[in-house]
Every structure is written in C-alpha cells, then in structure tokens.
Amino acid sequence: MQRLEVLDGLRGYFLVFMVLNHLTFSGGYLLVKLNHGELGYVQDAPGFVFLSGLLMGQVYGARMKKHGYKAGASKIYHRVFELYRYTAGCLLAIIALGFLLTESSVYWEPWLWQLARNDWGFALAAAALLYQPTYMDILPQYIVYLALSPPLVWLCVTGRWRKVVIGSWMLWLGVQFGIHLPLASAIDAVMGALYPGLVLRAHFNVLAWQIVFVGGLVLGCLASTGQLNWQRVFDPTRRGLVEASLCIVLFFMIWRLGMTWELFPEAMQARLRTLEIRAEFSMMFLLNFAALSYLVAWLIIGGVRSDSPLARQAGEGLRALFTLPFLRLIGRHSLQVYAWHVLVIYLLKAVDYHQGPFNELTKTAIAASAVASLAIPALLKEHRAAAAAVIAEP
C-alpha cells in the first residue's frame, strides 16, 4: 500500500511539538507557547495515537483482507516485539546514563521516581510496563493496543466494525464513571506486596485512551477495505458537520484562553478543572479532539475542492505544511524518532541543570537544535534500509 505523505507529515508535526512540550528549562521558555495546545484541549499525544491506529488499520486491514487473519496477526505481533525492544532499550539507555551523569538522581527524580535511585525492583516493574517513566509512556500504551488489536482488525475487515466501536465507547464511558478504580487499587496492592513501595505508574489510562486508537483503527480498516470513501465523507458541498466542528473548536478555544489569562471567576475555573482530566481523556478532550480532527481533515481533503476561497487557501496551506520533507522524514520513522526524542529530553535536562539557567535566545537555539536532531535516527534508518537493498540486489 502506498503511504499517504500527509499522514507521515502529520506524525512528524506531532513529534516536533512533543519535543517542544517535553523540553524543560529553568524558568520555562517562550517558544513552547507557540503551540496549538495553547488554543484548546487538543495536544500532540492523542493525534499521534490516533494516526498510529489509522495507519495500522490501513496496513493490516488490507493485509488481513487479502491474506487472512493469521498473516495480518503475525505481522502485528512482530511489530509488538519490535516496539518492546525499543521501549526496553530506551529504558536501559536512561538507566546507564544515570550512572554516568553526576547528580542525575536529583534532576531526573520527578520523571523517574525510584528509578532515579537505580532500584532494581522498580526497574523490573518498568520492564514489565507497569512502572512507566515520564515521556516513555506512549510506547507501552501502544504495545498494549497493538497486542490486543488483531481480533479488532478482523472484526472490521469482516464488516463487524460497529461492535468494535460500541465496545470502545462503552469502555471509555466506564472509565469516566470510575469502573477502573477497583482494578487499579487491586494492582497497586499486589505490586506493593511483591515489593515495598511499588505502585502502578502510567500517565495515560489505557482503558480510556483506547478510544482514540480504536477510532483510528476502525477508520483505517474501513478505508483499506473499500467500506469508506474519504472523498465522500469530506464532500466540500456538505458543510453541516464542518460548521458544527468549527463552533466546538471555537468554544473550547474561548475556555482555554480564558483559563490561561484567568478571565473567568474562580468558581468557573474550579468547575472547569474538575472536567479537565487528561489522563482519562475526559469528555472535553474527546469532543475537542473529534471536532478539530474532522475540521482539519475536511480542509485537507474537501476544503481544497471547495468553492470557498478561504477554505481552499486553508486546505492548501495545511497540505503544504504536512508535506514538508522534514516532517515526512521523521514521520516515516516515528518509532525510532520517538525513542530518540526521549533520550534528547533527558540529556537536555542534565545540560540545563549543570550549565543553566540560559537566556531566552539560548533556550530557543537549544530547542531548535533538539527538533533538528530528530532527523538523525530517521536518516540512519533510511541509510540502513538503502544499504540492505543494495546488498539484496543480485
């Protein structure tokens, strides 16, 4: 299947802003404020997870339809083991750096907790994906989704995608009502009994965030098997959903800016904070994400064919942005680039601790260099692939 360049570019875009959002300096830095996340409740992680599900549905849905369930499932499980190797390798690299860098237990402690003290019990829990250091948590989450996805892909391929959607929605809804809390408490109790102080540590609730991945997976499967036509879904003459999505996006933008600039009374801010549960992907995050995703997709696919000059210009601008060679390069190798970005963020935390504080210009230069460095693992991957292709030639 030919890859869609805009999807690679989108993944690259999210990787760039993950670097900017995860990078920390003493006193903060201004560049991070130039961010779509400041204009609403849509950030990079859900977009990255959604696109991963979408591409997986497209690739493995087509494979299962053509070659059967086992052919597709075996490829998925191979991908699971590959992801685990990168996750474990990233963890081992951070632990090794902790021995080499002076005072790493001080500046990494908020991200690693007891792992910063090189505690073997917590290291084993991290290897089992139960104790996830900060910024390494998307990979374990993705591993879980991939491992459970073969039957879901098969259901979509065989026309039973509605069952997958309903199951995903019910699971997400259950989390919003706390159905997961007894299970989490039981896991904490077992882990604490096995090793003192050990608890389940994961920033993202996999039972809630699965709705993003599964949503992408279902759409990808339907598109790859001919059950969904993107041109019809994003018909430029049908603007009802576009206008509704725009209203929702603007609504959440007003609330987000109001909270940032403290324009609302404290009672309203307190109410909003109770709804803003990112770890469980609460309703405000889901609605904002769905609306913005539809709006962007419509502009890229339907807007460029619209009779509205503004829609055409917006769609063409987004296409130009998401097809930038740099973004497509790092998006094609998102797994390797994501693991690289974790190491870069941890290393730059050490630099800031030992060499900082820096002025704003230096912080901007460091951030730009960190973003540029994302090309390193992608180029190395493509170089190895090219070398292997030459060797394979007769």
Side-chain angles (χ1 to χ4, degrees), residues 146-202:
L146 273 183
L148 299 176
S149 64
L152 303 182
V153 174
W154 183 246
L155 285 172
C156 294
V157 168
T158 53
R160 293 170 286 178
W161 59 270
R162 292 177 182 83
K163 294 181 180 179
V164 178
V165 172
I166 292 171
S168 176
W169 269 97
M170 294 304 295
L171 189 55
W172 173 85
L173 192 60
V175 171
Q176 308 311 305
F177 283 86
I179 194 174
H180 63 291
L181 296 177
L183 176 61
S185 297
I187 293 174
D188 281 344
V190 172
M191 293 176 67
L194 292 174
Y195 195 84
L198 189 61
V199 294
L200 179 66
R201 186 176 193 254

Side-chain angles (χ1 to χ4, degrees), residues 21-75:
N21 286 327
H22 294 166
L23 187 57
T24 60
F25 291 105
S26 300
Y29 72 116
L30 291 178
L31 186 60
V32 73
K33 297 298 182 181
L34 301 176
N35 192 322
H36 58 269
E38 297 291 316
L39 300 176
Y41 295 90
V42 178
Q43 293 145 337
D44 312 295
F48 191 78
V49 172
F50 174 80
L51 287 176
S52 297
L54 180 67
L55 287 169
M56 210 201 89
Q58 287 184 328
V59 173
Y60 298 106
R63 176 174 286 273
M64 282 192 184
K65 183 177 181 181
K66 186 175 182 179
H67 301 290
Y69 176 82
K70 289 184 178 180
S74 64
K75 288 290 186 180

Side-chain angles (χ1 to χ4, degrees), residues 33 78 81 89 132 165 168 180 218 257-258 265 289 299 348 370:
K33 297 298 182 181
H78 176 78
F81 289 120
Q132 299 169 16
V165 172
S168 176
H180 63 291
V218 170
L257 293 175
F289 177 76
L299 287 171
L348 289 179

Side-chain angles (χ1 to χ4, degrees), residues 306-361:
S306 172
D307 56 9
S308 165
L310 182 60
R312 285 200 306 274
Q313 291 173 7
E316 290 167 0
L318 289 173
R319 278 194 174 186
L321 172 62
F322 298 135
T323 54
L324 289 173
F326 175 76
L327 296 183
R328 288 188 286 113
L329 170 66
I330 63 176
R332 285 196 299 270
H333 308 286
S334 58
L335 170 59
Q336 294 79 11
V337 172
Y338 187 88
W340 171 269
H341 118 279
V342 172
L343 298 178
V344 168
I345 295 302
Y346 273 77
L347 284 172
L348 289 179
K349 182 67 173 178
V351 171
D352 183 65
Y353 180 83
H354 289 291
Q355 305 298 327
F358 301 109
N359 60 40
E360 199 61 45
L361 182 60

Side-chain angles (χ1 to χ4, degrees), residues 92-328:
L92 288 174
I94 295 297
I95 291 175
L97 287 171
F99 284 108
L100 297 174
L101 299 174
T102 58
E103 300 183 72
S104 62
S105 61
V106 176
Y107 50 80
W108 283 351
E109 193 274 340
W111 295 348
L112 296 178
W113 287 13
Q114 283 87 340
L115 275 175
R117 303 183 182 91
N118 299 312
D119 190 305
W120 68 268
F122 288 86
L124 289 176
L129 308 182
L130 297 173
Y131 193 85
Q132 299 169 16
T134 302
Y135 307 139
M136 299 187 209
D137 34 22
I138 281 186
L139 293 178
Q141 179 187 14
Y142 191 28
I143 288 172
V144 172
Y145 295 155
L146 273 183
L148 299 176
S149 64
L152 303 182
V153 174
W154 183 246
L155 285 172
C156 294
V157 168
T158 53
R160 293 170 286 178
W161 59 270
R162 292 177 182 83
K163 294 181 180 179
V164 178
V165 172
I166 292 171
S168 176
W169 269 97
M170 294 304 295
L171 189 55
W172 173 85
L173 192 60
V175 171
Q176 308 311 305
F177 283 86
I179 194 174
H180 63 291
L181 296 177
L183 176 61
S185 297
I187 293 174
D188 281 344
V190 172
M191 293 176 67
L194 292 174
Y195 195 84
L198 189 61
V199 294
L200 179 66
R201 186 176 193 254
H203 178 72
F204 301 107
N205 186 313
V206 295
L207 302 180
W209 278 67
Q210 54 77 28
I211 196 169
V212 184
F213 181 85
V214 172
L217 181 146
V218 170
L219 292 174
C221 286
L222 295 180
S224 70
T225 56
Q227 301 176 69
L228 177 66
N229 186 314
W230 293 119
Q231 301 297 327
R232 292 181 59 187
V233 171
F234 300 108
D235 188 331
T237 63
R238 300 163 67 180
R239 299 182 183 177
L241 279 178
V242 178
E243 293 170 356
S245 297
L246 180 59
C247 288
I248 293 172
V249 169
L250 292 175
F251 174 82
F252 282 111
M253 184 184 297
I254 291 170
W255 282 99
R256 174 68 169 164
L257 293 175
M259 290 291 287
T260 299
W261 296 99
E262 298 183 352
L263 302 178
F264 302 133
E266 178 56 35
M268 292 175 64
Q269 294 185 49
R271 172 64 65 87
L272 190 61
R273 283 191 289 268
T274 64
L275 303 174
E276 189 179 351
I277 310 175
R278 183 172 181 262
E280 296 176 0
F281 209 67
S282 58
M283 178 62 75
M284 63 187 302
F285 289 96
L286 181 60
L287 279 176
N288 200 180
F289 177 76
L292 184 58
S293 298
Y294 183 85
L295 185 60
V296 170
W298 184 87
L299 287 171
I300 293 174
I301 300 173
V304 293
R305 298 179 286 128
S306 172
D307 56 9
S308 165
L310 182 60
R312 285 200 306 274
Q313 291 173 7
E316 290 167 0
L318 289 173
R319 278 194 174 186
L321 172 62
F322 298 135
T323 54
L324 289 173
F326 175 76
L327 296 183
R328 288 188 286 113

